[in-house]
Every structure is written in structure tokens, then in C-alpha cells.
Amino acid sequence: MRLLTHNMLSCNIKGVTNGYPLTIEASKWMAKEVDFNGDFLRNIFVKIEWKVLIEAAKVMGYTDLPVEVDSSMLNSDEFLQKFHHALLEIHVEEGALICPETGRKFPVHKGIPNMLLNEDEV
Amino acid sequence: MGTLRIPLTLSRSILPITTSSPSSFLLQKHDRRISPAMATAKPLSTDALKQGIAEFYDESSGLWENIWGDHMHHGYYDAGSTVSVEDHRIAQIRMIEQALRFASVSEEPNSWPKTIVDVGCGIGGSSRYLTKKYSAKCQGITLSPVQAERAQSISKENGLSERVSFQVGDALDQPFSDGQFDLVWSMESGEHMPDKLKFMSELARVAAPGATIILVTWCHRDLLPSEESLQPYESNLLKKICNAFYLPEWCSAADYIKIAQSLGLEDIKSADWSSNVAPFWPAVIRSAFTFWGFTSLIRSGWKTVKGAFAMPSMIEGYNKNLIKFAIITCRKPK
């Protein structure tokens, strides 16, 4: 699971109003090199919750992302490389995503989050 | 729509195997076991249904992929044509393109969807195609862990793993916050949803303002104004299919349109593409009864075999104008 995916996932247990963002707990993770695609990064930038990405990257040990961002930074190759690394190259293989409100853990296995709710959570 | 000429009973003459071989004996045994069970099928509870769906696809995904490739949906054909397995791949792509065109998804790169959700994503065929077409990001959800894993590895093999990701998740409780996606895509998964209102509500919820929702699914025929329900023989035929394919009760395209209207969705369009998918089933049956197809089927397990034996019922349903292949598209208000 990449941080790009994490940026979009939330907990939908019935009654939960504060199910985003999920906290990452990684027992196995790695950095995997991914081909750089500036167009994709520029396109996806507007859809990213930046604070969530920074926090997730920090939890995974990457602290190089700037706190304040604006779209003019998309012209900077240096920024794009950092954005690219945080968004696409940090890969959680095993672990869990934790709901901020209930503490419920959604397992991540072989890089795939299992977001299925139990009978009593629906 | 033309009548599909295919034997509805599974005659040994279709198989290139001699009467004395173990496989054809197995075929007869299964044939006798299935009919009574399917005729008296009881509807499954939601939990049992979800588990059944996950297990069905866990079990049969591999076989489907071997024969049909990574798109687990019908192909779009010219009505009345006869097709072979080789044509199918192109037809599956054509189905996606036809759906996008029907929904009037913009052809202008500046207006392309940037984020896409593939609801009931299978092994990610649509997800990968749409991601490549629109240079977008796509998330797929499926109940089947086997499918999610397979989807992930195929995407990796195709160099797309950074832009398309898969989660095990429930279409009736999508693990996304509101308004995330510019394009909400459900290609032949709607038939598995036990609560059509909840299903469509979730599609609408995760759609961004102005987003396009595309739903391609099997339905039963619209009821006439004088009708309260389908005829008994129609309900019985659908029950047989439901039991084999892990489907809950069917609804009509008109039902989906009503739901879309009640959710305040705009620009609602619908079409009946039954004659454009009709050539598919005889081609599937023909491929299932090649020696290779058949032995793969037997190896896949009981659930898959049960599914295979329901195929003639699908054809019967289409022939009797009971089963419709429908597209319903709409837009989330801005």
C-alpha cells in the first residue's frame, strides 16, 4: 500500500464521524523505486490531502516534504522528486490502518488493505 | 433479438471426449446433482452471500483469466454476430469505450477524470484500462482477497502499480470519504449487491461534485404498469442463476433509474444492450467445452462448476427477454 492509496482511505464504521485519516502501523515496509512521471504528479496534486501525506510520510520515516505547499512548486523538479518518493515509493507490505475514532485495525496484508467491516460495524 | 441456437442440455456430443473417459462420467454425475438443488434454492443471508461471492471469485478467477484475460465482463458486439474467444478481448475493450461514450465522459484531456473508483474491480481489467486512458489514479475494491492480490500483481507486471491500487472492500460500505472520485465505475458488479439503494447511495456518496457515475449490470426486464412482479416461471429461472452465481434478488433498469432520481442525481440515461452481449454466452459455453476448458473447470472447484452449469439458464433468460444487460449513467450535481 502506497501513501497515495492511504491518502484516500477512510473508516466507514456506522456512527463514526472522524474516520479519516487512518493511522499507519507498519510491521513490514520498504522503499521501492518507481518510474518518475511528472504529468501524473502534477495532475494528482490537487487531489492529495497534503497534511495527511506529510504525517504518513513522517510515520514511515520520511521527513523531507515541505509543510507549506502551493501549485507553483509543481514547477520545481526538486519538489516533484520528494513528492514522488513520498507518494509512490514508500510501500507498506504488512501492518494495519487504525481508525482514529474507534481504534479499529484494518489489516494490510501483502500490500493490500482489507477494509471490510464486521456485521456489527455496518 | 435473435434466438441463440445452443443446446440447453449438456450433451456428450459437445465434448471431444469418449464416453468411457472419467471426465464425461463426472459431467453426468454433476448434471444429475445440480438440477434439484438449483430448483429449490433458498436465498442466502447477506453475510453468506458476501462470503459466497468472495469464495466464488477466489476459486474461479484463475480459470476466467486463463480463458478470457483480465477483463471479467461481457464484450460489446454487433447484434446478431457470431463470435469466437479470439474476438472477445477486443469486444471487452469496446464495451468499456462504449460505456464511456454513452456517459458522455469528456474527450478533452483537461476535463478527463483524475481519480477513478472501480467498484467490484475483479482482477483490475477496467482499472488498468481507465488509468492508462486518462493518465489518472484508480482505486479498485473487491470482496475477494485472491482477486485483489492478482489485480495487484498484474498491475505491477504492467508497470501501473503506482497509479492503480486495490483494496478488499465492500461496495455497500466503501472505505472512502465523500466526494473523492471524478469517475465512479461499476462494470458488471451491480448484480451482486443485495441492497440496490445502499449500493447506489455509496456510488453517489464517493462521487465528486460533477462526477460521472457509470453502472453496467444485468437486470430483469422492466415490469409493465399492470404488473406487481415477474411471472412465476421468470422468478424461478432467475433463482437458478442466483444460486449458481451468488446473486441476490434482481431488479430492473427502471428500478435503478428511480433510485438515481431519488438520490438527486442528474442527466440520468439508460440503454438496453442485451442484443450487443448476446453472442457472448454461446462463445463461453463453446470454450468451456473444449477439452482444456472443461478440465480446467473441473479443477477449479465446485462453485465454478455450478456457475458453468447455470450458463444455459442465462441464455434462456436472454432469449425470453427476461434478462437484460443494461447501462445506467448519471452525474453527481455540482
Side-chain angles (χ1 to χ4, degrees):
Chain A
M1 181 200 68
R2 287 171 177 75
L3 299 191
L4 172 59
T5 302
H6 167 260
N7 207 262
M8 306 258 166
L9 289 175
S10 80
C11 168
N12 277 346
I13 294 177
K14 194 166 168 190
V16 165
T17 48
N18 194 26
Y20 178 86
L22 299 160
T23 311
I24 300 177
E25 187 183 85
S27 54
K28 183 170 169 214
W29 70 95
M30 59 196 83
K32 277 195 208 170
E33 207 180 300
V34 167
D35 285 343
F36 180 85
N37 183 335
D39 284 334
F40 173 71
L41 293 169
R42 276 182 281 265
N43 261 339
I44 205 71
F45 178 75
V46 296
K47 295 280 181 175
I48 299 294
E49 286 291 338
W50 194 256
K51 284 198 179 63
V52 173
L53 179 64
I54 291 194
E55 187 55 41
K58 210 160 80 174
V59 164
M60 300 306 298
Y62 185 69
T63 50
D64 277 7
L65 289 177
V67 175
E68 296 294 329
V69 286
D70 62 75
S71 46
S72 67
M73 294 165 87
L74 293 172
N75 296 318
S76 150
D77 197 57
E78 196 194 327
F79 169 74
L80 284 179
Q81 292 287 350
K82 290 181 183 167
F83 182 31
H84 168 80
H85 180 75
L87 198 68
L88 301 173
E89 291 187 327
I90 300 172
H91 187 70
V92 178
E93 188 74 16
E94 302 288 330
L97 298 173
I98 309 171
C99 171
E101 191 174 313
T102 63
R104 152 78 144 105
K105 291 192 183 187
F106 295 95
V108 178
H109 177 58
K110 294 196 188 174
I112 297 170
N114 187 328
M115 308 301 298
L116 290 178
L117 300 178
N118 300 323
E119 189 65 24
D120 56 335
E121 293 171 323
V122 169
Chain B
M1 181 178 72
T3 308
L4 303 165
R5 282 189 297 277
I6 187 90
L8 292 185
T9 53
L10 299 155
S11 128
R12 236 178 286 145
S13 61
I14 297 175
L15 301 170
I17 310 169
T18 63
T19 350
S20 57
S21 82
S23 322
S24 67
F25 172 71
L26 203 54
L27 167 64
Q28 286 194 14
K29 241 178 102 179
H30 280 295
D31 203 20
R32 273 203 299 276
R33 267 164 66 185
I34 289 179
S35 306
M38 282 166 65
T40 57
K42 286 203 193 78
L44 297 171
S45 69
T46 302
D47 248 12
L49 177 71
K50 273 195 236 171
Q51 185 153 340
I53 292 168
E55 287 171 5
F56 177 76
Y57 285 105
D58 276 355
E59 198 191 272
S60 62
S61 240
L63 171 63
W64 186 273
E65 191 187 340
N66 278 333
I67 298 181
W68 296 105
D70 65 340
H71 288 287
M72 298 184 72
H73 61 249
H74 282 68
Y76 186 98
Y77 306 94
D78 295 327
S81 52
T82 308
V83 299
S84 68
V85 177
E86 290 75 40
D87 303 322
H88 192 63
R89 176 77 196 194
I90 300 169
Q92 287 173 315
I93 305 289
R94 193 175 165 199
M95 173 63 76
I96 299 178
E97 288 290 342
Q98 290 286 132
L100 295 169
R101 191 166 313 141
F102 183 80
S104 310
V105 177
S106 175
E107 315 232 312
E108 277 300 303
N110 288 333
S111 311
W112 281 350
K114 293 189 171 64
T115 51
I116 303 170
V117 63
D118 184 354
V119 180
C121 61
I123 52 178
S126 288
S127 300
R128 281 184 292 278
Y129 186 84
L130 294 169
T131 297
K132 274 195 290 225
K133 181 181 170 78
Y134 294 120
S135 295
K137 172 203 156 43
C138 183
Q139 309 226 202
I141 53 174
T142 168
L143 285 176
S144 160
V146 167
Q147 282 192 329
E149 215 179 301
R150 185 68 193 127
Q152 191 126 294
S153 26
I154 300 176
S155 304
K156 201 161 152 195
E157 284 164 27
N158 286 285
L160 285 169
S161 57
E162 72 275 11
R163 287 197 272 156
V164 55
S165 72
F166 301 94
Q167 284 77 234
V168 176
D170 188 348
L172 298 190
D173 276 292
Q174 293 192 34
F176 309 115
S177 344
D178 303 358
Q180 296 261 21
F181 302 104
D182 303 323
L183 175 60
V184 177
W185 179 267
S186 169
M187 170 61 72
E188 285 198 57
S189 58
E191 35 302 347
H192 284 296
M193 312 302 170
D195 183 338
K196 307 300 185 195
L197 173 59
K198 185 93 208 282
F199 168 51
M200 279 222 84
S201 303
E202 282 292 280
L203 296 180
R205 180 181 71 78
V206 302
T212 304
I213 299 170
I214 298 180
L215 169 56
V216 178
T217 184
W218 308 348
C219 297
H220 67 61
R221 63 171 177 83
D222 289 350
L223 295 179
L224 299 170
S226 52
E227 284 179 314
E228 289 264 326
S229 60
L230 294 171
Q231 302 299 312
Y233 82 88
E234 291 178 315
S235 300
N236 286 336
L237 183 57
L238 289 184
K239 272 204 195 83
K240 273 196 235 173
I241 295 167
C242 287
N243 181 257
F245 289 140
Y246 291 91
L247 306 174
E249 257 193 67
W250 294 53
C251 71
S252 65
D255 291 330
Y256 276 117
I257 292 171
K258 251 190 249 137
I259 295 173
Q261 284 165 335
S262 75
L263 294 171
L265 297 166
E266 295 172 343
D267 196 20
I268 303 169
K269 288 184 268 189
S270 165
D272 178 353
W273 284 358
S274 306
S275 58
N276 302 105
V277 303
F280 174 80
W281 288 101
V284 172
I285 289 190
R286 277 195 296 272
S287 79
F289 291 104
T290 59
F291 182 75
W292 180 67
F294 185 72
T295 53
S296 310
L297 189 65
I298 294 295
R299 269 201 298 272
S300 287
W302 175 238
K303 286 190 170 60
T304 312
V305 173
K306 232 171 53 164
F309 280 91
M311 293 193 277
S313 298
M314 282 297 297
I315 293 184
E316 198 185 329
Y318 275 118
N319 279 344
K320 295 197 162 128
N321 287 315
L322 166 63
I323 293 178
K324 299 288 178 182
F325 191 83
I327 177 166
I328 300 120
T329 68
C330 51
R331 215 173 303 282
K332 175 101 172 253
K334 280 221 166 95

